[in-house]
């Protein structure tokens, strides 16, 4: 079974530039998550999709971050404009359902460095 | 709000040692996850458990629901076990939300 695919693996940009990350979840997984993990901390949820609808985006900095999952399959996360504090690993995960006991599968992540 | 505490934050062991990582959480949960994160950033799910004990190879995870505590054990540790181990619990107990709250992780380094 193919896992969660993310690209790119690494990205270096200057502050105020924009950047986009892509995630393709495991086939058939209705729920997709984007997490931000700052060095030394656990991942923090940015946004959760159920199919193509947003379930939770309460921690997404909406002035600069946006995400979409138009066809309910793959998803993009965009930052515009980037700030130095956005340097982090951005992780995508997917699960079959929204239930609290449902196992989530994670991608390799995209390591963003803003200089 | 559920809080997740892990200990220790950092752990250095010699190859072959038995390792224990602890996780405590503050409210009721339906399941707890143990995850492994390698230096490249990718996260792998090791265990999801709601009671008792699970074993996979040299890894053992236990949970005590009454005490709100879980442990991850590694027997006969090996340098390739070096990684960050993260404990995570669901945001809402029994609810429809599936997203997780993560501990800060335990960085394990196993020396040959």
């Amino acid at each position: 079974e193919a896992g969660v695919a993310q690209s790119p693996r690494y990205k270096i940009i200057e502050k105020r530039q924009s950047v986009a990350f892509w995630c393709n979840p495991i086939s058939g997984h209705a729920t997709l998550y984007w997490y931000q993990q700052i060095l030394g901390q656990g991942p923090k949820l940015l946004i959760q999709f159920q199919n193509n609808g947003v379930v939770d985006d309460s921690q997404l900095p909406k002035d600069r971050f946006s995400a979409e999952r138009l066809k309910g399959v793959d998803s993009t996360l965009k930052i515009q404009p980037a700030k130095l504090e956005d340097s982090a690993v951005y992780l995508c995960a997917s699960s079959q359902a929204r239930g609290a006991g449902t196992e989530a599968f994670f991608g390799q992540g995209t390591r963003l460095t803003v200089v | 709000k559920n809080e997740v505490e892990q200990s220790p934050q950092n752990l250095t062991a010699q190859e072959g040692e038995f390792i224990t990582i602890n996780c405590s959480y503050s409210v009721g949960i339906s399941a707890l996850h143990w995850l492994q994160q390698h230096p490249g950033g990718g996260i792998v799910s090791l265990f999801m458990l709601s009671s008792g004990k699970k074993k996979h190879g040299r890894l053992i995870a236990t949970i005590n629901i009454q005490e709100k505590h879980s442990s991850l054990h590694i027997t006969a540790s090996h340098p390739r076990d070096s990684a960050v181990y993260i404990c995570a619990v669901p945001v809402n107990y029994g609810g429809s939300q599936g997203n997780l709250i993560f501990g800060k992780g335990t960085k394990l380094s196993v020396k040959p």
Side-chain angles (χ1 to χ4, degrees):
Chain A
E1 177 184 79
V4 176
Q6 286 188 250
S7 67
R9 285 297 311 278
Y10 305 93
K11 189 75 176 178
I12 301 174
I13 61 172
E14 294 183 350
K15 60 183 179 185
R16 291 188 288 274
Q17 285 188 321
S18 51
V19 64
F21 313 127
W22 175 81
C23 172
N24 192 13
I26 291 174
S27 177
H29 280 194
T31 307
L32 184 147
Y33 312 83
W34 282 104
Y35 293 91
Q36 179 195 57
Q37 186 177 23
I38 292 171
L39 186 65
Q41 299 181 19
K44 181 188 82 173
L45 180 71
L46 291 175
I47 189 167
Q48 177 185 353
F49 290 97
Q50 179 70 12
N51 297 309
N52 60 350
V54 175
V55 173
D56 183 354
D57 63 356
S58 57
Q59 297 192 83
L60 187 74
K62 298 181 184 66
D63 57 333
R64 298 183 300 106
F65 285 64
S66 65
E68 59 183 17
R69 192 185 185 200
L70 292 174
K71 295 181 180 178
V73 181
D74 55 347
S75 175
T76 54
L77 175 69
K78 296 179 183 177
I79 308 174
Q80 181 179 11
K83 292 185 176 181
L84 296 177
E85 59 261 35
D86 298 332
S87 295
V89 174
Y90 291 84
L91 292 159
C92 178
S94 71
S95 63
Q96 281 189 316
R98 290 170 60 192
T102 303
E103 186 172 9
F105 296 83
F106 288 81
Q108 288 292 305
T110 296
R111 184 177 296 275
L112 174 67
T113 303
V114 183
V115 298
Chain B
K1 182 182 174 185
N2 210 351
E3 303 287 345
V4 180
E5 300 271 347
Q6 280 187 243
S7 64
Q9 275 193 313
N10 293 282
L11 181 57
T12 300
Q14 284 299 127
E15 183 173 356
E17 284 185 3
F18 181 83
I19 288 162
T20 295
I21 299 170
N22 296 300
C23 175
S24 297
Y25 50 93
S26 55
V27 299
I29 61 169
S30 54
L32 179 144
H33 303 251
W34 279 104
L35 309 162
Q36 180 192 55
Q37 186 173 33
H38 281 282
I43 290 180
V44 174
S45 179
L46 297 175
F47 295 102
M48 184 179 68
L49 66 165
S50 54
S51 64
K53 179 167 103 173
K54 283 192 175 180
K55 185 174 188 292
H56 182 79
R58 294 178 296 106
L59 301 176
I60 304 166
T62 63
I63 189 168
N64 185 318
I65 295 292
Q66 286 73 31
E67 294 185 5
K68 296 185 174 62
H69 180 268
S70 176
S71 293
L72 177 68
H73 306 284
I74 305 175
T75 61
S77 59
H78 190 276
R80 63 173 175 266
D81 297 326
S82 298
V84 175
Y85 292 84
I86 303 173
C87 170
V89 300
V91 170
N92 298 311
Y93 174 61
S96 60
Q97 297 278 357
N99 68 58
L100 302 171
I101 293 177
F102 296 80
K104 291 188 176 181
T106 295
K107 186 174 182 180
L108 171 66
S109 178
V110 182
K111 307 292 186 188

